[in-house]
């Protein structure tokens, strides 16, 4: 059902300050529930700077588009704050026409429950990633398109950005700082809203209100789970806190400490335990991200990373408050030493130290220490085991440890033709004992699932190429003992 009434009431493609969020496919019908805004209603909210309107531009089974339109009243504000700002600047400025910190304020106040991931009616949907498209109009970006990309791309967004000349008749005036931006991602709605809340004023490099100490708390709470690991963490923090040195230092220190986190640029001195020559680091990032997301979605709190290597996934799991007991296990002592250094286990604050531990062990032998976990993952591990020994691992994991969820990733050998630097017939890593096609992996996983009373579903990770699929393949196993009636159980 399209709602032209609202679309024509406002000039929504013109210079209004508009944010739209569209969900398609499976997520579509969840969007309005998660936003706590009924698709048939047009709602108006009084804000300190004017008014905010929420309405739906479309709401069908396949696609739902929610719009947040700001009606900024510069005259009212200038009167309210008479004498605080420059006389004329209070009345004549770009604020009514651009996506600025007013938008962040409106998001937090109108979509507060969605940002916090609260939705009693659709509790499962909160933790289910959706195909989302976000449209931001007139976003002022100090730093241009490159800066825009450097902030959104590490968070997994596809970006389309359109800038324009300040005035086409005078090209020598240069580019306008205003961009029309379309973002696409398969993410949780609450993650997207938190990203927008923090980043919109960061692009703009201004805020409409005084930045006090409580801004640190806001930044850390809205940045939870992503900011500490963002390659532009410091730039984001500086701009968000309006370059107030003391506050920036305090925030950065807390971000570092919070997850026992080290920066990507500190990692150069740490040899990579798996010494994977291929694939690219961004694929590795996507893989850790996908596995972390599945673990969150499993609803478990006690998780174990089997064959954790040098702890890159563990570091991400530390960022998720849901996990109260995070364990990394590996057969390689050297890898565990690197993981310990990467996670800064020696200097973690006690609250964090209680949540994580590393253990030396092997997937070949039954081990009672592996029992009692809600979820386990084996990320790029099975291909390091000799095929005849896979059966031992299967018994250890699926029969004895028997967590409710098991996530396994492995290379998809069909995709290898896409890497020109990889000679035909070679594996991606010299230690790989095999690499499977999608059919081989699915056949093995289905047999394991049937033998041990699990269901299994499959997902690709990384860019999909025609005919060969994605570079990484993932299987998500759920134990049948518990699976029925579980929120996310999806027998395949
Ligand atoms: N999961 C990590 C590391 C993958 S490399 C990541 O994705 O970054 C494969 C890891 O499996 C190595 O760290 C290796 O030491 C570990 N491994 C290999 N055989 C193992 C076994 N039998 N038991 C436990 N770990 C094993």
């Amino acid at each position: 059902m399209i709602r032209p009434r609202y679309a024509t009431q406002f000039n929504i493609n013109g210079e209004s300050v508009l944010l739209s969020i569209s969900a398609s496919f499976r997520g579509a019908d969840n969007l309005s529930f998660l936003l706590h805004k009924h698709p048939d209603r047009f709602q108006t909210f009084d804000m300190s700077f004017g008014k905010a309107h929420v309405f739906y531009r479309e709401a069908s089974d396949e696609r739902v588009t929610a719009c947040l339109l700001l009606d900024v009243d510069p005259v009212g504000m200038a009167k309210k704050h008479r004498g605080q700002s420059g006389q004329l600047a209070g009345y004549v400025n770009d604020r009514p026409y651009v996506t600025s910190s007013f938008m962040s304020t409106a998001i937090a106040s109108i979509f507060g429950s969605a940002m916090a991931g609260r939705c009693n009616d659709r509790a499962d949907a909160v933790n289910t990633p959706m195909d989302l498209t976000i449209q931001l109009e007139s976003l002022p970006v100090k730093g241009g398109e490159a800066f825009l990309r450097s902030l959104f791309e590490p968070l997994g967004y596809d970006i389309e950005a359109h800038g324009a000349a300040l005035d086409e008749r005078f090209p020598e005036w240069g580019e306008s700082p205003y961009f029309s931006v379309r973002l696409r991602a398969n993410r949780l709605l609450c993650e997207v809203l938190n990203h927008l809340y923090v980043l919109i004023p960061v692009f703009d490099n201004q805020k409409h209100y005084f930045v006090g100490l409580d801004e640190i708390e806001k930044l850390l709470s809205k940045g939870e789970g992503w900011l500490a690991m963002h390659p532009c963490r410091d730039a984001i923090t500086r701009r968000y806190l309006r370059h107030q040195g003391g506050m920036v230092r305090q925030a950065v220190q807390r971000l570092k400490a919070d997850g026992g986190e080290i920066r990507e640029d500190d990692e150069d001195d740490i040899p990579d335990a798996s010494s994977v020559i291929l694939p690219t680091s961004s694929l590795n990032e996507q893989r850790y991200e996908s596995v972390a997301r599945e673990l969150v979605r499993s609803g478990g709190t006690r998780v174990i990373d089997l064959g954790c290597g040098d702890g890159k996934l563990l570091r991400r799991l530390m960022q998720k408050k849901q996990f109260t007991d995070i364990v990394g296990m590996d057969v390689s002592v050297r890898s565990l030493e690197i993981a310990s250094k990467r996670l800064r286990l020696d200097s973690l604050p006690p609250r964090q130290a209680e949540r994580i531990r590393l253990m030396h062990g092997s997937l070949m032998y039954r081990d009672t220490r592996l029992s009692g976990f809600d979820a386990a993952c084996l990320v790029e591990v099975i291909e390091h085991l000799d095929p005849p020994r896979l059966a031992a691992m299967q018994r250890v994991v699926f029969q004895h440890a028997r967590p409710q969820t098991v996530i396994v990733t492995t290379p998809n050998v069909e995709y290898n033709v896409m890497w020109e630097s990889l000679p035909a017939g070679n594996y991606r890593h010299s230690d790989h004992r095999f690499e499977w096609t999608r059919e081989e992996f699915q056949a093995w996983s289905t047999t394991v699932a049937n033998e041990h009373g699990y269901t299994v579903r499959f997902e690709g990770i990384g860019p999909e190429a025609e005919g060969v699929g994605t570079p990484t393949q993932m299987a998500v196993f759920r134990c049948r003992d518990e699976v029925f009636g579980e929120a996310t159980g999806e027998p395949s």
Side-chain angles (χ1 to χ4, degrees):
M1 185 179 11
I2 307 291
R3 290 174 166 69
R5 185 157 62 97
Y6 301 144
T8 49
Q9 191 165 345
F10 292 96
N11 174 20
I12 53 178
N13 290 316
E15 285 187 329
S16 324
V17 192
L18 180 88
L19 163 74
S20 71
I21 303 178
S22 309
S24 43
F25 309 112
R26 278 203 305 169
D29 108 281
N30 287 329
L31 184 65
S32 56
F33 282 92
L34 294 181
L35 288 173
H36 296 259
K37 298 288 173 286
H38 198 286
D40 287 334
R41 289 183 61 197
F42 181 100
Q43 288 176 270
T44 297
F45 302 85
D46 284 323
M47 309 294 301
S48 61
F49 51 79
K51 292 201 183 307
H53 312 281
V54 176
F55 59 95
Y56 286 77
R57 194 157 54 184
E58 54 188 330
S60 68
D61 291 345
E62 291 82 40
R63 194 172 167 86
V64 172
T65 298
C67 300
L68 175 58
L69 183 83
L70 302 194
D71 194 356
V72 176
D73 173 14
V75 176
M77 277 197 302
K79 282 186 183 152
K80 232 192 267 175
H81 301 288
R82 208 190 295 274
Q84 282 180 18
S85 56
Q87 301 292 314
L88 192 56
Y91 291 93
V92 184
N93 56 53
D94 67 356
R95 299 294 95 179
Y97 312 106
V98 301
T99 299
S100 68
S101 57
F102 291 132
M103 185 60 86
S104 295
T105 303
I107 291 174
S109 119
I110 296 169
F111 299 139
S113 299
M115 270 183 102
R118 281 192 300 269
C119 184
N120 292 340
D121 289 336
R122 297 277 166 111
D124 326 342
V126 170
N127 287 320
T128 306
M130 299 194 277
D131 287 321
L132 293 170
T133 304
I134 300 100
Q135 180 77 38
L136 295 156
E137 302 294 349
S138 301
L139 179 69
V141 183
K142 312 252 159 56
E145 187 171 338
F147 186 63
L148 188 66
R149 290 188 179 279
S150 70
L151 263 51
F152 277 123
E153 281 176 351
L155 295 168
Y157 292 93
D158 281 340
I159 305 183
E160 254 176 67
H162 298 284
L166 262 182
D167 189 322
E168 277 160 15
R169 290 167 304 164
F170 303 100
E172 65 278 14
W173 289 2
E175 295 295 305
S176 146
Y178 304 111
F179 283 82
S180 157
V181 180
R182 176 168 295 178
L183 305 168
R184 285 199 187 83
N186 181 260
R187 294 206 68 122
L188 305 183
L189 178 67
C190 57
E191 292 173 330
V192 169
L193 292 174
N194 282 295
H195 295 158
L196 295 175
Y197 175 89
V198 171
L199 295 181
I200 286 172
V202 165
F203 290 119
D204 190 21
N205 208 12
Q206 324 189 15
K207 279 194 174 169
H208 66 273
Y209 54 87
F210 175 71
V211 172
L213 274 176
D214 58 336
E215 285 294 290
I216 299 183
E217 300 311 319
K218 277 195 219 164
L219 176 66
L220 296 181
S221 101
K222 312 292 190 238
E224 189 192 327
W226 62 274
L227 183 55
M229 296 162 344
H230 197 293
C232 300
R233 176 192 69 197
D234 294 358
I236 294 171
T237 307
R238 267 196 306 276
R239 281 188 173 203
Y240 185 92
L241 296 171
R242 302 291 300 114
H243 305 273
Q244 305 201 31
M247 281 165 61
V248 172
R249 273 192 297 281
Q250 204 180 321
V252 167
Q253 263 168 17
R254 283 180 56 188
L255 281 167
K256 280 181 177 173
D258 254 10
E261 151 78 5
I262 62 175
R263 300 285 322 273
E264 294 303 324
D265 33 345
D266 294 345
E267 290 182 2
D268 294 345
D269 58 338
I270 302 175
D272 185 345
S274 55
S275 62
V276 172
I277 45 163
L278 291 165
T280 61
S281 65
S282 81
L283 174 60
N284 289 331
E285 292 299 318
Q286 283 183 52
R287 188 183 311 113
Y288 297 130
E289 182 70 31
S290 301
V291 173
R293 185 181 293 154
E294 283 300 334
L295 287 171
V296 167
R297 211 176 149 191
S298 76
T301 57
R302 294 159 301 170
V303 293
I304 184 160
D305 184 8
L306 299 167
C308 62
D310 51 15
K312 292 199 187 96
L313 175 66
L314 295 171
R315 207 185 51 177
R316 276 162 187 76
L317 300 183
M318 288 291 285
Q319 305 289 326
K320 313 272 182 199
K321 283 199 174 143
Q322 175 178 326
F323 305 129
T324 53
D325 201 0
I326 303 167
V327 175
M329 186 275 249
D330 205 284
V331 75
S332 154
V333 173
R334 173 80 186 119
S335 293
L336 292 172
E337 281 168 2
I338 297 168
S340 172
K341 183 174 169 201
R342 184 183 292 279
L343 294 159
R344 304 221 159 116
L345 290 191
D346 288 346
S347 55
L348 280 183
R351 204 166 41 90
Q352 296 298 339
E354 278 169 16
R355 297 173 60 218
I356 180 138
R357 86 203 128 84
L358 297 176
M359 64 162 84
H360 184 223
S362 167
L363 285 162
M364 293 298 109
Y365 306 104
R366 184 175 176 182
D367 185 339
T368 51
R369 296 175 305 164
L370 306 184
S371 304
F373 290 93
D374 303 315
C377 56
L378 295 98
V379 179
E380 308 295 281
V381 172
I382 58 170
E383 64 276 10
H384 292 265
L385 307 177
D386 285 323
R389 313 194 79 181
L390 273 178
M393 178 283 286
Q394 288 159 221
R395 280 194 298 278
V396 169
V397 175
F398 290 90
Q399 186 178 329
H400 299 300
R402 207 165 177 74
Q404 203 176 322
T405 301
V406 181
I407 298 165
V408 177
T409 75
T410 194
N412 162 21
V413 71
E414 295 167 76
Y415 195 89
N416 287 1
V417 294
M418 301 299 291
W419 277 303
E420 285 172 9
S421 58
L422 188 66
N426 277 29
Y427 290 149
R428 296 181 199 178
H429 189 288
S430 53
D431 189 47
H432 285 181
R433 311 301 159 89
F434 60 87
E435 285 178 359
W436 279 336
T437 61
R438 285 169 291 176
E439 201 182 324
E440 286 169 323
F441 180 52
Q442 292 183 12
W444 173 80
S445 305
T446 307
T447 308
V448 171
N450 290 341
E451 279 175 6
H452 296 284
Y454 280 74
T455 61
V456 63
R457 64 184 162 81
F458 300 95
E459 217 170 276
I461 300 174
E464 183 157 3
E466 212 181 319
V468 297
T470 57
T472 299
Q473 36 188 348
M474 173 166 71
V476 181
F477 298 83
R478 298 277 299 181
C479 187
R480 278 188 191 274
D481 304 347
E482 322 246 2
V483 79
F484 298 110
E486 276 287 326
T488 50
E490 286 175 20
S492 62

